[in-house]
């Protein structure tokens, strides 16, 4: 979807055919970020890459590949909009520039909140889940000071240091990147924090709505 400014509301513009094809490609079986990018480089657009997938699978000696259907993707798009979220696609619009430089960067992100926070200097902070009280206080204060200085604090909303860093930087600007769907809360004790981040700052997910976080994510 095209950017709708800095609000958390879903973009009213209907997602276009190119983005539908991009979503179908990345949601297809055995197509990860690296394969996705290689296919786009080779075929120039997602629709052509989708058309070529069955033949590529046959020539590679593998089983017939399961390609995500248009109906599946349209259901996902509707769910994302209903959640007040939107998509950012690599190479299009407001996708984070530094992230796009990584070969394995996610082809599509689902975001809720103020995407303008991605235009600020970004500082990542991660740490132990089982952190000491002193470390928690330090992470919270450091998060606060970084955000006050104009940076966006980026972390993973995990227990311990991540959560403390987010809590400290809530007022100045924090970005939480989660492993599951944008509507899935993990860990459970961060439910209120995750909701606050989505409503006041910025929440980012790579996976489609409803997907529980898994270790490989």
């Amino acid at each position: 979807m095209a950017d709708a400014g800095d609000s958390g509301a879903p973009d009213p513009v209907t997602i276009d055919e190119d983005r539908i094809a991009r979503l179908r490609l990345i949601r297809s079986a055995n197509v990860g970020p690296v394969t996705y990018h290689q296919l786009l480089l080779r075929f120039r657009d997602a629709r052509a890459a989708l058309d070529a997938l069955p033949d590529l699978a046959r020539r590679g000696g593998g089983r017939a590949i399961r390609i995500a259907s248009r109906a599946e993707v349209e259901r996902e798009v509707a769910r994302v909009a209903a959640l007040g979220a939107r998509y950012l696609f690599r190479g299009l619009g407001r996708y984070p520039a530094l992230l796009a430089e990584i070969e394995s960067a996610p082809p599509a992100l689902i975001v809720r909140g103020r995407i303008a926070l991605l235009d600020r200097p970004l500082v990542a902070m991660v740490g132990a889940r089982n952190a000491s009280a002193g470390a928690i206080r330090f992470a919270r204060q450091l998060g606060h000071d970084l955000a006050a200085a104009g940076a966006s604090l980026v972390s993973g909303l995990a227990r311990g240091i991540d959560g403390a860093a987010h809590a400290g930087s809530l007022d100045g600007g924090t970005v939480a990147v989660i492993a599951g769907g944008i509507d899935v809360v993990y860990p459970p004790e961060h439910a209120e924090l995750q909701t606050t981040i989505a409503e006041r700052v910025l929440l980012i997910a790579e996976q489609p709505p409803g997907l529980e976080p898994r270790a490989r994510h």
Side-chain angles (χ1 to χ4, degrees):
M1 292 182 179
D3 174 33
D6 197 32
S7 72
D11 192 323
V13 179
T14 302
I15 194 166
D16 63 26
E17 290 298 321
D18 176 58
R19 288 165 172 80
I20 288 285
R22 287 170 182 254
L23 280 174
R24 288 186 63 199
L25 187 59
I26 193 56
R27 301 298 188 236
S28 294
N30 300 319
V31 178
V34 174
T35 299
Y36 172 97
H37 297 313
Q38 291 173 343
L39 287 168
L40 279 193
L41 286 173
R42 178 174 176 180
F43 294 100
R44 301 300 179 185
D45 67 68
R47 180 68 258 182
L50 280 172
D51 292 341
L53 274 182
D55 184 58
L56 291 173
R58 283 193 299 270
R59 286 159 53 187
R63 294 180 296 177
I65 191 168
R66 195 195 75 81
I67 298 174
S69 70
R70 183 185 182 91
E72 290 176 74
V73 165
E74 287 179 341
R75 285 194 294 271
E76 178 185 325
V77 169
R79 177 62 179 158
V80 167
L83 290 166
R86 74 190 94 168
Y87 292 93
L88 299 180
F89 290 87
R90 185 182 181 188
L92 303 174
R94 300 289 294 278
Y95 192 95
L98 290 175
L99 181 59
E101 295 181 10
I102 301 172
E103 184 184 18
S104 59
L109 299 173
I110 297 171
V111 303
R112 277 191 67 192
R114 297 162 48 199
I115 61 174
L117 290 173
L118 298 175
D119 297 331
R120 297 165 58 171
L122 304 172
V123 179
M125 188 189 305
V126 295
R129 288 171 172 79
N130 187 24
S132 67
I136 292 290
R137 287 194 299 272
F138 179 72
R140 187 186 296 265
Q141 185 62 50
L142 187 56
H144 173 273
D145 293 348
L146 285 166
S152 292
L153 192 289
V154 185
S155 196
L157 203 60
R159 297 181 178 94
I161 296 301
D162 291 23
H166 285 308
S169 55
L170 268 177
D171 292 333
T174 200
V175 179
V177 184
I178 58 176
I182 199 90
D183 56 340
V184 177
V185 173
Y186 187 84
E189 60 265 36
H190 282 175
E192 183 177 354
L193 179 59
Q194 182 167 321
T195 298
T196 301
I197 289 172
E199 292 176 348
R200 290 174 45 191
V201 270
L202 185 61
L203 183 68
I204 297 179
E206 175 186 355
Q207 304 302 327
L211 190 70
E212 296 290 333
R214 300 166 186 168
R216 67 176 182 273
H217 299 154

